[in-house]
Amino acid sequence: MALPRPHRFDVYIAAGGLLGGLLLVGIGLGTRPSSDPITLFDGPWPVLVPLTVLAGCELLRRTAPRTALLTGTAAICADLVTQGNLATILMFTDVVYAAVLYGPLASARRIQWITGLLTVAGTLVPFAVWRVPEALLIGVVVGVVAYAPAATGWIVRNHRDAAEAARLRAEQTALLAEMDRTQAVTAERARMARELHDMVANHLSAIAIHSTAALSIDDPATSREALSVIRENSVDGLAEMRRLIGILRDGDREPSAVPTLDGLAALVDGARANGLDATLDARHHSAVPAPVELAAYRIVQESLTNALKHACPGRVRVSLAERDGDLTVAVSSPYGDRDGPRAPGSGAGLVGMRERAALLGGTFDAGPDGPHWTVRATLPLREGVPE
């Protein structure tokens, strides 16, 4: 199996260590004299073997750190029976450091424990055998060559992992913030779409129906009455549009003229002026939160708009009642085939009414109920309902 391609920086380290070691050999500098008892192979040539092997281990310090450490350990042990080379020792310390920094987490922990135990053993065993203070230097050397690089690699690894975790948290926070922003924009667009639909649809539907009637019936009195209704709905629609523009300009601040339940009577009167036989029965005693008032008003408004567009001739009943801490809104209109002009619908009104009820934690239902089409919404009156 082919070995992984070494990192460019590792190639520089290997080349620098090898050239530095060759320079030390060339000028005759070693870590021990040839007369040292542990020097089994004196002369410059035996030193080159562990030097070359550790230079090769440096090429694998990042891509195969455990292999580099095992091979480098064998090479540093071989260096002990030669006159030694400072470059070999320095490259071994770097291989230990790299094994802790780039190797698997379990291996990094084991290397720390092993080098620590070797340092302790290198300190106590020689001193116990020879009973001279100079024997403690062996432990110092082992600590500098093995444990210190491992501890340094562990510290750097912890800092690197902490920095990576912080970067990931920052990315996740930015992603969540972007998701929240997108959801907020989507929710605001949906809210403004509901407001625009509920504000304008009623007036435009009346305009469409009465203009169709004025064009289809050749009667001056009927045309004048239809044009009067069209003008009235046009003026009211423009007023609603100005209120919506005020909402957009003022940001989150709602204008003072927010529809309330007190305006239902005028809303039903307007429906009668548009040709509906509408009645209102509103019975609620406790104070109604503003979000519930607005939702109930809009549901009644959209239901009357749908009745104007689709209902058969007959009475349209609007009722509000308070039961068990809930405000129940019901609008019933004749259901069946309709003769005469009708305005097209997109279904957005039912969606908007259902969303309004759901946002307040209530329920919504609309559908045929015998000969009538009934819209029914239940809105909680308790404090703390979501807007």
Side-chain angles (χ1 to χ4, degrees), residues 92-181:
F92 176 74
T93 61
D94 182 69
V95 168
V96 175
Y97 167 83
V100 175
L101 181 59
Y102 301 115
L105 182 61
S107 296
R109 289 196 178 113
R110 282 197 298 268
I111 292 169
Q112 275 220 109
W113 279 101
I114 293 171
T115 55
L117 292 174
L118 287 175
T119 301
V120 173
T123 303
L124 299 180
V125 173
F127 181 76
V129 172
W130 292 315
R131 299 289 181 176
V132 292
E134 290 79 3
L136 297 175
L137 294 176
I138 297 177
V140 174
V141 172
V142 174
V144 171
V145 173
Y147 181 72
T152 304
W154 182 257
I155 294 172
V156 174
R157 181 182 185 125
N158 284 339
H159 283 289
R160 184 195 65 184
D161 293 345
E164 180 66 16
R167 184 186 66 81
L168 291 176
R169 284 195 299 269
E171 290 181 354
Q172 291 174 354
T173 301
L175 180 60
L176 291 175
E178 179 63 21
M179 292 175 61
D180 289 342
R181 188 194 68 82

Side-chain angles (χ1 to χ4, degrees), residues 285-326:
H285 308 289
S286 61
V288 179
V292 177
E293 279 196 290
L294 178 60
Y297 183 93
R298 292 304 186 197
I299 289 173
V300 172
Q301 183 182 43
E302 179 59 25
S303 299
L304 292 176
T305 299
N306 289 341
L308 180 64
K309 292 192 292 186
H310 307 295
C312 297
R315 176 155 296 182
V316 178
R317 292 180 172 84
V318 179
S319 64
L320 277 80
E322 183 180 342
R323 298 190 186 94
D324 301 327
D326 294 334

Side-chain angles (χ1 to χ4, degrees), residues 206-260:
I207 291 172
I209 291 173
H210 284 85
S211 61
T212 302
L215 291 173
S216 59
I217 300 175
D218 188 12
D219 180 27
T222 302
S223 298
R224 180 178 293 276
E225 180 181 356
L227 290 175
S228 177
V229 173
I230 289 172
R231 183 186 182 282
E232 181 180 350
N233 280 276
S234 300
V235 172
D236 292 341
L238 285 173
E240 294 283 8
M241 285 296 295
R242 291 191 187 99
R243 196 182 79 83
L244 179 60
I245 292 172
I247 294 175
L248 293 174
R249 284 179 175 171
D250 296 338
D252 293 334
R253 290 190 297 112
E254 286 283 345
S256 58
V258 177
T260 63

Side-chain angles (χ1 to χ4, degrees), residues 187-199:
E188 183 63 15
R189 289 178 62 183
R191 185 177 80 91
M192 298 312 301
R194 288 193 302 269
E195 288 295 317
L196 179 61
H197 180 276
D198 294 344
M199 284 180 181

